[in-house]
Amino acid sequence: MLQIRLHGRGGQGVVTAAEMLSLAAFLEGHYAQAFPSFGSERTGAPVVAYARIDDKEIRTHEPILAPDTVVVQDRTLLTALDVFAGISPTGYAVINSADPAEQIVPELCARLPKGHVLTVPATDFAMQKIGRPLPGAPMLAAMAAATGVLKLESVQKSFQSRYPGKVGDANAETAALAYEYIMNVKNGGSHA
């Protein structure tokens, strides 16, 4: 079972991203679940959501304390919370930032295998295509590219089915930008 923990702030679509992640997995024939964990429900407050993907029925519903993958939609949480607590020693971390991972989380880069800690300018991509700072689709696509767990097309279809028309298409475009960005970095390209 693949366990994913998503961190962000209220208003960034963290809960929606977890739901879209489970829908993308479902579209590929997997069992999946997504659920939020709310503290104070207000814009800007830290929010955590969880998703699980498996090839058999998922019966557990507890919060994920030992994630295989951590997705951080808001870089400011890196100094506010221990967002990487419990991450698997072979896990992946995907952070919304234009700066290279080695600059912002050098200790995590040293702890996880090379290429398992990646950054992507998801908010920049969202502003380009959506016109709002909603990093969900690009973050999920970046996670898909980093881990190989999901196909880009599944991430795109999940957003297009939830938001038919221009909004879904714009999210699909941001997803493609992020996916290509991560594939470039993984293939030896630079953060650009």
Side-chain angles (χ1 to χ4, degrees):
M1 178 180 338
L2 180 69
Q3 301 192 100
I4 303 147
R5 193 169 62 211
L6 299 92
H7 292 271
R9 293 196 179 272
Q12 290 182 320
V14 177
V15 174
T16 299
E19 292 170 1
M20 296 298 95
L21 176 58
S22 66
L23 178 55
F26 178 75
L27 290 170
E28 292 188 18
H30 302 287
Y31 288 91
Q33 69 173 209
F35 56 99
S37 173
F38 292 106
S40 60
E41 295 184 45
R42 62 182 170 81
T43 301
V47 175
V48 180
Y50 308 97
R52 290 186 173 97
I53 300 170
D54 205 343
D55 290 327
K56 59 185 184 293
E57 190 174 344
I58 300 169
R59 296 187 180 270
T60 183
H61 296 283
E62 295 87 30
I64 296 170
L65 302 178
D68 300 297
T69 302
V70 173
V71 175
V72 182
Q73 289 194 177
D74 190 310
R75 178 182 167 170
T76 64
L77 292 172
L78 297 176
T79 55
L81 305 168
D82 185 5
V83 294
F84 304 114
I87 192 169
S88 164
T90 58
Y92 285 86
V94 182
I95 305 160
N96 181 3
S97 176
D99 296 325
E102 297 78 15
Q103 286 182 9
I104 60 173
V105 286
E107 67 291 338
L108 186 66
C109 291
R111 204 169 87 211
L112 296 180
K114 183 171 176 49
H116 283 228
V117 183
L118 298 157
T119 59
V120 60
T123 298
D124 295 345
F125 293 152
M127 291 303 292
Q128 285 175 31
K129 300 293 182 181
I130 303 170
R132 295 182 59 207
L134 299 172
M139 290 302 294
L140 294 188
M143 187 211 76
T147 64
V149 170
L150 297 170
K151 297 178 182 125
L152 169 61
E153 296 78 15
S154 302
V155 173
Q156 291 173 314
K157 284 180 189 171
S158 70
F159 279 88
Q160 288 170 316
S161 67
R162 171 88 180 252
Y163 305 104
K166 289 181 181 179
V167 174
D169 291 344
N171 275 284
E173 290 175 28
T174 66
L177 289 173
Y179 191 91
E180 291 165 16
Y181 182 91
I182 293 296
M183 293 307 290
N184 179 52
V185 170
K186 282 180 66 173
N187 292 322
S190 64
H191 290 269

